[in-house]
Amino acid sequence: MNNETKMLQEISRNVTLLEVKFQRASTLERAELRSSLEGLLNEYARFRIGLLTNGVTTTEADLAEMREIRDLIDKAANKQSMLFAIARTIGFLAARF
Amino acid sequence: MSLRIKQNLSLLLIAALAISQSACSKEKAAALKTAADSFRVEAEAALEETAELLTSSFTSRPRPRDAELEDIARELRANEYTEQQLVIFLEEKLRSQDPAGSASKNIEQELSELQAEYRLFASMFRSLPRGYLFTKNTVTRAERHAARLTYRMVKMAKSIDENPIENLSARAELISKIIDARSLPDQTSRDRKLTAIANEVIDLRSSEVSSNNNLKIQLLKAAEAGKTVIELIRNFDKWSVADILNAVGDSLKTLDELDGGDHAKVKKLIAKYDEFVESQLRTDKVWSEALNNQTGNK
């Protein structure tokens, strides 16, 4: 069992125990426990997301390049449409004269 | 021949060439656009499923109105709360947000940001069927992004395989039921209740295994779709329309075969995809450049 798995197991057990306590508590006790439970659940969520994405991140530069590629292809489409329109016009004129 | 006629003839030649190439290249471009869309659809579904499984794993089921009503009345009968305590009592009872609300929101936000990346990726190709004549080098630049986004899907499947998502709130509910059952004074009722709980334990195990397997399969489907996009980008100029259609057909067949299967089969599939991405990372320049700065590579 690696350290991440051990850590996840520990947080998961703590969440389960606190959820049991919260479920069985009176309303006033719940009001006291609420912020601890919220904090622990946030910690669990953060840890899980970290494990899942495994450090594979998309940087701002990656996002910018993807947008640039999209814009270049969009522009190429406009250029191609224009070329085809010219070709059609020439074809039409060539057929008439 | 006058300059004007020469210009017209050159234009005619360019146009004729473009049109003669267009039927074949247009199909290739449309196939790549469709493959990128399919990658987006599968990845968005995988990320949606991840968010759902994660948030439901720690969100308690709402109590039925009758049970809650009984609890409130019992608590008020049993306690002589002061005015100050009653304020806190009402505050707590009238809260609209579950304690899991903030963690759920964080998970949804993180995963929705990842979904946006897959949408942006697919949108790169939205005009390709209308602009394929001038995009040869631009399309090639998309490969590293496809590699990174595919790698992520495989690693997510592997992470869930190593650390399955446990239904923590259902486990807490079972523990609470066991505590209640053990406090029953009548031995027969106690035994009956504990047997019913034992059944619920087994049901919970099946449900956890099946929901984790379904999620891993969906992540691998996204990875397979990403793998196809990478192949199409890499061979966009070399492959014929038939080659591209074969690759898309093979990928659809693999996606179909991924459905279902037991735990052992899913484990084997994850190992296969992980081996593929790791070998690409070791041997392929585009993959290593796309991922060499990532801290989590293992």
Side-chain angles (χ1 to χ4, degrees), chain B residues 215-254:
Chain B
L215 174 55
K216 286 182 275 185
I217 288 288
Q218 186 54 47
L219 287 161
L220 292 182
K221 279 183 170 186
E224 175 59 34
K227 208 169 144 239
T228 308
V229 176
I230 295 167
E231 277 184 10
L232 295 193
I233 293 173
R234 182 164 286 196
N235 299 296
F236 191 63
D237 284 319
K238 286 179 254 165
W239 279 2
S240 66
V241 175
D243 291 334
I244 287 192
L245 292 179
N246 279 342
V248 173
D250 287 348
S251 171
L252 287 175
K253 207 174 139 203
T254 311

Side-chain angles (χ1 to χ4, degrees), chain B residues 204-220:
Chain B
L204 180 59
R205 182 179 60 201
S206 311
S207 135
E208 283 188 2
V209 168
S210 132
S211 49
N212 276 280
N213 272 349
N214 290 343
L215 174 55
K216 286 182 275 185
I217 288 288
Q218 186 54 47
L219 287 161
L220 292 182

Side-chain angles (χ1 to χ4, degrees), chain A residues 2 4-6 8-9 11-13 15-17 19-20 22-28 30-32 34 37-38 41-42 44-46 48-49 51-59 61-81 83-84 86-88 90-91 94, chain B residues 11-12 15 18-19 22 50 54 57-58 60 75 81 85 88-89 92-93 95 97-100 102-103 106-107 110 114 117 120-121 123-124 126-128 130-135 138 141-142 144-145 148 151-152 155-156 159-160 163-166 168-169 171-173 175-176 179-180 294-296 298:
Chain A
N2 63 30
E4 284 170 339
T5 305
K6 272 188 208 158
L8 179 68
Q9 193 182 58
I11 302 175
S12 302
R13 281 180 182 167
V15 167
T16 311
L17 285 172
E19 283 214 6
V20 173
F22 190 80
Q23 281 174 18
R24 302 182 67 76
S26 71
T27 307
L28 296 193
R30 280 187 182 203
E32 275 178 29
R34 180 174 280 270
L37 183 57
E38 280 174 350
L41 287 174
N42 273 319
Y44 172 77
R46 261 197 309 275
R48 262 291 179 191
I49 290 289
L51 274 184
L52 276 175
T53 49
N54 196 37
V56 184
T57 49
T58 296
T59 63
D62 290 326
L63 293 173
E65 194 189 22
M66 287 201 278
R67 284 188 204 106
E68 189 197 339
I69 293 172
R70 182 180 65 191
D71 293 346
L72 285 171
I73 296 179
D74 284 350
K75 277 181 194 154
N78 291 338
K79 209 159 129 188
Q80 187 171 316
S81 301
L83 177 74
F84 278 19
I86 293 170
R88 275 194 301 272
I90 291 172
Chain B
L11 268 175
L12 204 60
I19 289 166
S22 70
T50 309
L54 267 179
S57 77
F58 54 74
S60 303
E75 197 173 342
Y81 286 147
Q85 284 172 324
I88 300 170
F89 177 85
E92 183 60 27
K93 283 296 174 207
R95 255 180 223 277
Q97 186 160 323
D98 186 79
S102 145
N106 289 342
I107 284 179
E110 290 276 353
L114 297 187
E117 288 177 26
L120 176 58
F121 176 82
S123 77
M124 289 194 290
R126 65 187 178 193
S127 305
L128 190 61
R130 294 186 298 112
Y132 50 88
L133 287 177
F134 306 106
T135 48
T138 315
R141 286 172 62 196
R144 56 185 291 268
H145 300 291
R148 184 186 63 256
Y151 183 84
R152 179 192 282 146
K155 291 297 166 184
M156 279 181 73
S159 166
I160 289 167
N163 298 297
I165 299 173
E166 297 160 341
L168 303 179
S169 56
R171 289 174 181 214
E173 216 173 286
I175 294 170
S176 201
I179 297 170
D180 287 340
Q294 307 283 348
T295 51
K298 288 175 189 171

